[in-house]
Amino acid sequence: MKHRIRRQLSTAVMHEYMLYTDVLLEGSSADAAESFLMNPTFLPYSLALNSTLRVTLVQLSITTECNVTDTVKSCACKAGYRWNITVCHVYQACNGSSFCSCILVPDDNIPFCEREVIVTTQKVNLTGSFTLNEIFTVDLQDQTSPLYKAKAYNITLALLDAYTRNCNLLNVSVVGFSPGSVVANYRMMVAAPVSSQLLEANSLLAVESIPNAISSQLSTSGISAIQPEQLTVKYWDRIQLSCQINETLLTVNWTLVNNNSSNIIYSAGGNVDISTRVLSNAAISTLTIIKADQWWQGTYVCQFFNGSLVHEAKAQVNVTLLPTEIFVNPIQKSLSAGETSQPALECCVPFDGETYDVSWSYGNVTQEAQPSKRTDLRCYTLAPPPPAQDTIYSCVFTNNAGQKKENSISITVIQAEDPFCTVNVSSGVTWNVTKAGTRATANCPSGRTGNLTRHCSLGGVWLTVQDNCISQLLQSVLDSAKALDQGLGSSQVKVPEIIQQLSSTEGTSMTNAAEVSALVNILETIAKVSANGNSVFDSTVVTNFLSVASNLTDTTHSSLWKQDNSPQASQVLQSVERFSLLLQAENGTIDIVLPNIQLKGSSYQRGSPAGHYEKTFDTDLGVSAVIGKQTISSLLDQNNVTITSVVFNTIGNLLPANTGKFNNHQLNSIVQSTSVRLSDSSSFSGDIFMTFGINNSDAEYSQRCVFWDFQSNPPSGGSWSDSGCTSKVERNKTFCSCTHLTSFAVLMSINVEPLILIEEITLVGLGVSILSLCVCVCIEWAVWKSVVRTNISYFRHISLVNISLSLMFADVCFLSSAFPAVKTHRYICLSITFLNHFFYLALFFWTFCQSMMLLHQLLFVFHHLRKKVYVSFAYFMGYFIPAFIAAGTFLYFKPKETYMHEKVCWLNPGSGAIYAFAIPAGSIIVFNFITLIVVIAKLSRPSVSDANTPEDRETAKSILKAILVLTPVFGLTWSFGFALLTDLDNLTRQVFTYGFAGMNAFQGFFILLTCLTERKVREALCSKVSSTPTSTTTVMSVSEAPSKTGSSLKKEK
């Protein structure tokens, strides 16, 4: 039995002492002795220590009680006292007793109990590990093995010895061992306050006392704190947490634990903002999540670092969710008018743990949705009455915060007179009855996400199916890449995982443009995030990345890059450039060869000697890149340097060649990209020299070294530029020298030397033509009553006015399409294409009408056209037929997305749409040539009604006048344009090009001259100007068939 005695010295200076003593009592006297000692009347008790010193006992307490047997003592603390933490781990617990309650003492060295102190201050949890330079064995996985027990005991004693000296240690335990040499994991609890310096010193002391220990890690919980510790926010609201520690620590990390996965929060993510302030005695880190969704709920962990010591704090954030996606079935439906069966509608969402109020609304009706019995999704159904008109049914999900998200099902009603597309099965997908002029949407087959769309044409014909479905694996990888881009996860960890998934057969298979776009977006995202995070990867990761890019650009997938929803190939180019620089070269050299991409490079250490950077690719490619020794040496003065050169065998065919100043050029080599990465992230400044083997070395074509400028022409993802580059051609090689590398790719374009002033002639000519046509129309309006006296003159002038108007509007549209802003605006360019087609066709058909009139007057001399008949025929041919052809062309080719040219606002020559203009125009041109020959023949021979033969001079003059007048009016100059479509030598092509540009551009001016060559018009115009009476002499114009042709022109009664 142990007693605690307080003694008091009878001196001037009083001291208080705590004295522990052992009392051994046997038999029944133990209880009596305890009662006597605890009797309050016994104290105070004066005790003489010697002749001069006495002490007074003022309090006596029993702290420890032991039952003594022959071999061992079982000891326990009395109420209000507890064992020291070291005692609990040194001595074995009594049989059947809980830890640290009763202990077995094998000798007479009985430990004493301490007064129990209730810890009212904050407790600090410590989690740590020691790394032992030993071989890991399976015994360390068995807690009952002697080896496990011995090591755990030794480590526990070392921790007790280190921490009980200066900390109030509340608990300590070794929780296990793991491989990696031998890693011993432990947990402790101490009472606050403790500091980083104190914990680091204790951890170091423990390492020194543990055999073979070489290092330690320690994390705390309770020294730092996050405010608020509990937070609930609405969907897409802001999350803001502040983490504070009362020490001046600079390094901090945030981590989110969600769905049993832990992800570092990336400070440069698009949805993340992290700011840290260091005060005189504290550090505060503030995390802001800009828009909260399902990705951002969970446990947030803030970690302040001080060497091997990590201070952790946690906070729980809940987000009141909305469905990530609402699936509806059917997506769209058509019903026949009068149908009596109720449509079955369904909307579903994935299980996300949120409670929603779900309702259906249509028209003015809102009703609660009924849940279905599906187990894979949470689904709700509706069976409404069949609608009498087109109706939209909305399925609305409302969360606990009152936020709503909905998706709709559109039901169209087919009336009796409406055309429609019948039920059709295509590739296993059933397309139900659909109203003409609408787009049907169907769900993807099992295992794929997205949708299928198909247009039902205005004529009730099904058009091509557009497949927007991607595999679930690809969608999962895309979601992971998006989360990484938002700031959730470490690129160093996540990117290899994403690339590994893409490297599988399912991850790289592509069946449509949607999957191409998904893969391109994934590569672009992980390359951007990795570059921004300064991550580096081994050759396996980079090779897998390049393998995906190589497969993407393979020629077997070329058709998937040419659809409306296809991505820009320049995205792959830029992604490969970025990611190739992140390769950590094991031995200083880089060499990766894939079917469509080859990468070579070198890495240099700062201050190391360096020669030329020179990389030569396969002989068949004829490509090399050189950076001079002096340039590299200057870079190595301050940096580690990585240089990579990438050759793209096939990507050049996917990049637009006819852009900007290089219009009408084409690719004449493969594409090469060389990039430099400096350790201080500065920009490269220096020259690069390259050699390219070219496909076409014809001397008449110019060869240029260009690079892809990602900043110009954003709608196309960039364009070719030759800024800073010079070219030199020798035989079948082109030598390039450029002064920059940023976003750099090298190729050559070829083109016949541009014709001098051809663009200026065209633009000036169009301006003159439009002005001339305006003047012509004004003149016709001014002199109309004076010159239109007979039917034949009416026919001539009504044709001339409509020809002028058609050409004027066509020229205006053509001139407006020359502006770059118009070309890049899809719908404006589409409208101009349609109007150009219509007005140019109208021009030709009005010339056809005039030819028909002229032929009729020359061939059928005694048969007169009635005004009503001709006007009706002319307007039908001049406007209705062109409108019918233009509209038919649009409706046939536009749904196939092959209506318009890729680069200009004109019909697509590749799809055949151009023939809807070329065939009618060419036919009319041929007809007008025939008319011209007939007119010349009629003017060259004597008239039947004339007795005298015209003189040769007069005949030649009439023929020349007919040619000069009829050629511009009938549009024969367009024959020059059709000639340019044939294979011509260079000189002939230049002649025809200038002829076509000049004659067509100035056609309006020629028509004005045609108008002014008529004597009646000139006289009437002079009369208007001078205000004097005009001559009453009747002079027949050429188009009114002069008398020498034998025509008898009489006014119709």
Side-chain angles (χ1 to χ4, degrees):
M1 180 180 297
K2 282 194 175 280
H3 300 270
R4 186 184 70 172
I5 303 172
R6 180 177 298 171
R7 69 180 183 177
Q8 184 172 338
L9 301 179
S10 57
T11 61
V13 179
M14 305 299 296
H15 297 277
E16 188 176 82
Y17 293 89
M18 189 83 66
L19 176 65
Y20 289 89
T21 182
D22 292 335
V23 178
L24 178 61
L25 300 176
E26 296 182 3
S28 61
S29 61
D31 291 337
E34 181 177 350
S35 298
F36 172 78
L37 292 173
M38 299 304 297
N39 189 342
T41 60
F42 176 74
L43 299 175
Y45 179 79
S46 180
L47 179 66
L49 297 181
N50 53 41
S51 59
T52 59
L53 181 63
R54 299 183 67 85
V55 296
T56 302
L57 302 179
V58 296
Q59 182 181 351
L60 188 146
S61 300
I62 300 175
T63 63
T64 311
E65 188 175 67
C66 299
N67 290 323
V68 182
T69 64
D70 294 336
T71 58
V72 72
K73 305 176 182 66
S74 57
C75 301
C77 295
K78 300 293 284 185
Y81 295 87
R82 65 176 176 82
W83 293 115
N84 178 281
I85 187 69
T86 304
V87 172
C88 296
H89 289 275
V90 170
Y91 292 95
Q92 184 179 351
C94 301
N95 293 331
S97 300
S98 60
F99 176 75
C100 213
S101 59
C102 175
I103 63 173
L104 297 176
V105 182
D107 51 32
D108 292 334
N109 186 22
I110 299 174
F112 57 85
C113 296
E114 299 175 345
R115 181 178 291 277
E116 188 173 16
V117 178
I118 299 176
V119 179
T120 58
T121 60
Q122 183 179 357
K123 298 176 182 178
V124 177
N125 293 305
L126 306 178
T127 302
S129 65
F130 297 110
T131 300
L132 311 181
N133 188 17
E134 298 177 1
I135 298 175
F136 185 85
T137 63
V138 293
D139 289 345
L140 293 176
Q141 294 177 333
D142 182 6
Q143 295 185 3
T144 63
S145 70
L147 180 62
Y148 184 101
K149 291 180 178 180
K151 285 197 176 296
Y153 182 76
N154 291 334
I155 292 172
T156 300
L157 292 183
L159 290 171
L160 291 169
D161 180 64
Y163 282 87
T164 54
R165 300 185 183 193
N166 46 28
C167 294
N168 185 3
L169 184 60
L170 304 178
N171 193 7
V172 60
S173 63
V174 174
V175 295
F177 298 90
S178 57
S181 295
V182 173
V183 178
N185 303 298
Y186 65 91
R187 294 195 189 104
M188 292 192 297
M189 181 185 294
V190 298
V194 290
S195 65
S196 295
Q197 292 79 4
L198 180 64
L199 293 176
E200 279 190 309
N202 291 345
S203 180
L204 181 60
L205 183 62
V207 169
E208 293 174 349
S209 61
I210 297 174
N212 300 321
I214 56 177
S215 65
S216 68
Q217 296 289 330
L218 182 63
S219 64
T220 74
S221 174
I223 293 180
S224 59
I226 297 179
Q227 293 296 329
E229 291 185 358
Q230 294 281 341
L231 180 64
T232 299
V233 298
K234 296 180 181 179
Y235 190 80
W236 274 17
D237 272 7
R238 182 183 295 265
I239 298 174
Q240 191 164 72
L241 302 173
S242 291
C243 182
Q244 180 172 344
I245 187 170
N246 293 326
E247 298 184 30
T248 55
L249 302 181
L250 298 177
T251 307
V252 61
N253 273 352
W254 286 85
T255 305
L256 175 59
V257 181
N258 188 355
N259 295 327
N260 297 322
S261 65
S262 177
N263 292 293
I264 291 177
I265 299 176
Y266 177 48
S267 59
N271 197 36
V272 175
D273 179 66
I274 298 177
S275 61
T276 302
R277 295 180 298 141
V278 178
L279 308 178
S280 60
N281 59 350
I284 302 174
S285 179
T286 301
L287 168 68
T288 302
I289 306 301
I290 300 170
K291 289 184 176 181
D293 57 18
Q294 73 280 1
W295 293 102
W296 297 102
Q297 68 173 355
T299 302
Y300 284 79
V301 181
C302 164
Q303 296 176 311
F304 280 100
F305 291 86
N306 186 359
S308 62
L309 181 61
V310 182
H311 301 288
E312 290 188 355
K314 296 181 180 180
Q316 183 66 37
V317 175
N318 297 313
V319 179
T320 306
L321 299 177
L322 282 174
T324 55
E325 188 173 1
I326 302 175
F327 307 97
V328 293
N329 185 34
I331 299 175
Q332 176 272 340
K333 187 177 182 64
S334 293
L335 298 176
S336 299
E339 188 168 330
T340 58
S341 60
Q342 293 178 309
L345 310 181
E346 183 181 53
C347 64
C348 303
V349 298
F351 291 102
D352 58 9
E354 191 69 36
T355 302
Y356 297 106
D357 292 329
V358 187
S359 62
W360 288 92
S361 63
Y362 56 96
N364 295 322
V365 177
T366 299
Q367 65 184 74
E368 183 178 352
Q370 298 300 316
S372 69
K373 296 181 179 180
R374 288 181 59 173
T375 57
D376 55 333
L377 294 169
R378 185 192 302 180
C379 297
Y380 300 84
T381 59
L382 177 69
Q389 58 186 3
D390 294 354
T391 304
I392 294 177
Y393 296 83
S394 297
C395 181
V396 183
F397 285 77
T398 306
N399 65 16
N400 292 330
Q403 296 173 296
K404 300 178 184 293
K405 187 172 184 178
E406 64 182 60
N407 198 1
S408 301
I409 300 174
S410 173
I411 294 185
T412 56
V413 178
I414 304 173
Q415 304 298 334
E417 66 278 4
D418 291 338
F420 59 89
C421 293
T422 58
V423 176
N424 177 262
V425 178
S426 175
S427 300
V429 178
T430 301
W431 298 91
N432 294 317
V433 173
T434 301
K435 187 176 182 180
T438 60
R439 183 181 68 176
T441 306
N443 289 313
C444 295
S446 177
R448 298 175 69 80
T449 63
N451 58 53
L452 301 163
T453 59
R454 194 178 189 186
H455 283 275
C456 177
S457 70
L458 293 174
V461 177
W462 283 115
L463 302 180
T464 306
V465 176
Q466 180 170 320
D467 187 354
N468 304 310
C469 301
I470 65 175
S471 68
Q472 289 182 347
L473 170 63
L474 198 56
Q475 183 63 57
S476 174
V477 176
L478 181 60
D479 290 341
S480 298
K482 289 179 178 177
L484 185 63
D485 187 39
Q486 291 294 300
L488 190 58
S490 165
S491 59
Q492 196 68 53
V493 175
K494 292 293 184 180
V495 167
E497 295 176 359
I498 291 174
I499 295 176
Q500 184 61 40
Q501 289 179 289
L502 288 181
S503 299
S504 66
T505 303
E506 185 180 357
T508 55
S509 63
M510 290 169 287
T511 58
N512 55 44
E515 291 185 324
V516 172
S517 183
L519 279 169
V520 170
N521 289 336
I522 292 170
L523 294 184
E524 184 178 41
T525 298
I526 62 178
K528 179 187 69 174
V529 173
S530 299
N532 292 341
N534 292 318
S535 301
V536 292
F537 304 100
D538 58 31
S539 59
T540 301
V541 175
V542 176
T543 300
N544 288 340
F545 182 96
L546 296 180
S547 179
V548 176
S550 175
N551 183 54
L552 263 174
T553 56
D554 193 79
T555 53
T556 57
H557 300 134
S558 296
S559 60
L560 303 180
W561 288 90
K562 298 177 181 179
Q563 301 177 19
D564 279 352
N565 57 337
S566 298
Q568 301 291 343
S570 59
Q571 295 174 260
V572 179
L573 183 68
Q574 189 172 38
S575 300
V576 170
E577 284 184 13
R578 283 177 169 176
F579 203 80
S580 62
L581 282 174
L582 307 180
L583 174 60
Q584 184 69 45
E586 287 83 0
N587 55 3
T589 61
I590 305 166
D591 194 351
I592 299 173
V593 179
L594 297 166
N596 301 307
I597 294 177
Q598 297 184 39
L599 183 148
K600 293 178 182 289
S602 297
S603 62
Y604 307 88
Q605 295 300 314
R606 177 181 175 181
S608 63
H612 297 293
Y613 170 82
E614 184 172 2
K615 298 298 177 183
T616 301
F617 292 85
D618 292 348
T619 305
D620 295 339
L621 301 177
V623 177
S624 65
V626 177
I627 298 178
K629 173 181 179 180
Q630 186 175 357
T631 300
I632 296 177
S633 296
S634 63
L635 296 175
L636 291 174
D637 289 341
Q638 303 292 331
N639 287 276
N640 298 327
V641 179
T642 300
I643 308 176
T644 57
S645 294
V646 184
V647 165
F648 301 86
N649 298 1
T650 54
I651 202 171
N653 299 323
L654 306 177
L655 293 170
N658 301 319
T659 57
K661 64 183 289 187
F662 297 105
N663 195 21
N664 298 322
H665 283 61
Q666 70 181 42
L667 190 68
N668 197 31
S669 75
I670 63 173
V671 180
Q672 180 212 141
S673 168
T674 297
S675 304
V676 174
R677 182 185 184 188
L678 305 178
S679 56
D680 65 357
S681 301
S682 60
S683 299
F684 169 80
S685 177
D687 296 332
I688 180 172
F689 305 93
M690 294 156 287
T691 304
F692 289 89
I694 56 179
N695 302 325
N696 188 338
S697 58
D698 195 326
E700 72 179 15
Y701 295 104
S702 64
Q703 311 287 341
R704 297 196 181 187
C705 298
V706 294
F707 73 97
W708 188 261
D709 184 358
F710 294 98
Q711 304 304 319
S712 65
N713 194 20
S716 298
S719 63
W720 297 116
S721 171
D722 60 355
S723 176
C725 293
T726 58
S727 310
K728 181 182 178 182
V729 181
E730 292 183 4
R731 295 185 180 181
N732 62 342
K733 290 185 180 294
T734 297
F735 300 92
C736 304
S737 174
C738 296
T739 59
H740 53 81
L741 291 178
T742 305
S743 299
F744 186 71
V746 180
L747 56 77
M748 291 175 297
S749 58
I750 64 170
N751 186 29
V752 176
E753 288 293 341
L755 299 179
I756 300 174
L757 299 178
I758 190 68
E759 185 174 352
E760 289 78 3
I761 292 173
T762 301
L763 295 178
V764 172
L766 286 173
V768 173
S769 179
I770 294 171
L771 180 62
S772 300
L773 292 170
C774 291
V775 173
C776 181
V777 172
C778 292
I779 290 175
E780 288 290 330
W781 175 78
V783 303
W784 185 267
K785 293 183 179 180
S786 301
V787 298
V788 178
R789 301 289 182 84
T790 64
N791 279 0
I792 189 65
S793 63
Y794 179 85
F795 298 159
R796 165 177 167 73
H797 287 282
I798 196 68
S799 297
L800 186 61
V801 168
N802 281 282
I803 288 172
S804 300
L805 290 173
S806 297
L807 183 57
M808 180 173 66
F809 288 127
D811 283 347
V812 169
C813 291
F814 188 84
L815 184 62
S816 64
S817 67
F819 295 98
V822 172
K823 293 180 183 179
T824 56
H825 199 294
R826 177 176 177 81
Y827 292 105
I828 295 178
C829 192
L830 184 67
S831 302
I832 288 177
T833 300
F834 178 84
L835 293 175
N836 263 333
H837 189 198
F838 169 71
F839 283 121
Y840 276 124
L841 283 178
L843 163 69
F844 280 106
F845 275 95
W846 272 105
T847 63
F848 171 76
C849 293
Q850 184 160 298
S851 296
M852 288 292 295
M853 179 269 295
L854 183 57
L855 275 179
H856 184 275
Q857 295 303 317
L858 291 176
L859 300 178
F860 303 99
V861 177
F862 302 103
H863 183 273
H864 305 293
L865 282 173
R866 290 189 302 165
K867 181 186 294 186
K868 183 177 181 181
V869 173
Y870 177 76
V871 171
S872 299
F873 170 78
Y875 275 95
F876 178 82
M877 294 297 296
Y879 291 118
F880 180 81
I881 296 298
F884 178 79
I885 294 174
T889 305
F890 177 83
L891 294 176
Y892 181 78
F893 288 99
K894 180 61 179 70
K896 300 179 180 180
E897 301 300 340
T898 56
Y899 175 69
M900 197 168 61
H901 195 281
E902 293 180 358
K903 303 300 178 186
V904 296
C905 302
W906 187 232
L907 299 174
N908 190 340
S911 65
I914 188 66
Y915 294 112
F917 170 75
I919 292 177
S923 301
I924 292 173
I925 286 176
V926 172
F927 180 80
N928 289 345
F929 265 118
I930 296 173
T931 302
L932 178 60
I933 294 171
V934 172
V935 170
I936 292 175
K938 294 289 288 182
L939 294 178
S940 299
R941 66 183 180 84
S943 174
V944 175
S945 59
D946 285 347
N948 300 321
T949 301
E951 297 179 358
D952 292 342
R953 184 175 60 81
E954 293 297 327
T955 301
K957 184 184 294 186
S958 298
I959 294 172
L960 181 60
K961 185 176 182 180
I963 294 173
L964 292 175
V965 172
L966 293 178
T967 298
V969 176
F970 290 163
L972 296 181
T973 51
W974 281 82
S975 60
F976 282 81
F978 289 109
L980 290 173
L981 299 177
T982 62
D983 188 15
L984 302 173
D985 61 73
N986 192 37
L987 179 61
T988 305
R989 178 173 292 276
Q990 291 187 34
V991 172
F992 273 80
T993 301
Y994 278 116
F996 176 69
M999 297 185 72
N1000 275 282
F1002 290 95
Q1003 194 173 29
F1005 179 71
F1006 296 151
I1007 291 178
L1008 175 61
L1009 294 180
T1010 300
C1011 177
L1012 295 175
T1013 57
E1014 187 174 342
R1015 185 177 302 172
K1016 282 186 178 182
V1017 173
R1018 294 199 305 272
E1019 291 177 353
L1021 191 59
C1022 292
S1023 174
K1024 290 285 185 180
V1025 174
S1026 60
S1027 299
T1028 58
T1030 59
S1031 170
T1032 59
T1033 303
T1034 301
V1035 181
M1036 305 301 293
S1037 69
V1038 172
S1039 62
E1040 291 172 326
S1043 59
K1044 64 182 177 180
T1045 66
S1047 301
S1048 177
L1049 305 176
K1050 296 182 180 180
K1051 185 176 181 181
E1052 186 180 90
K1053 303 294 183 184

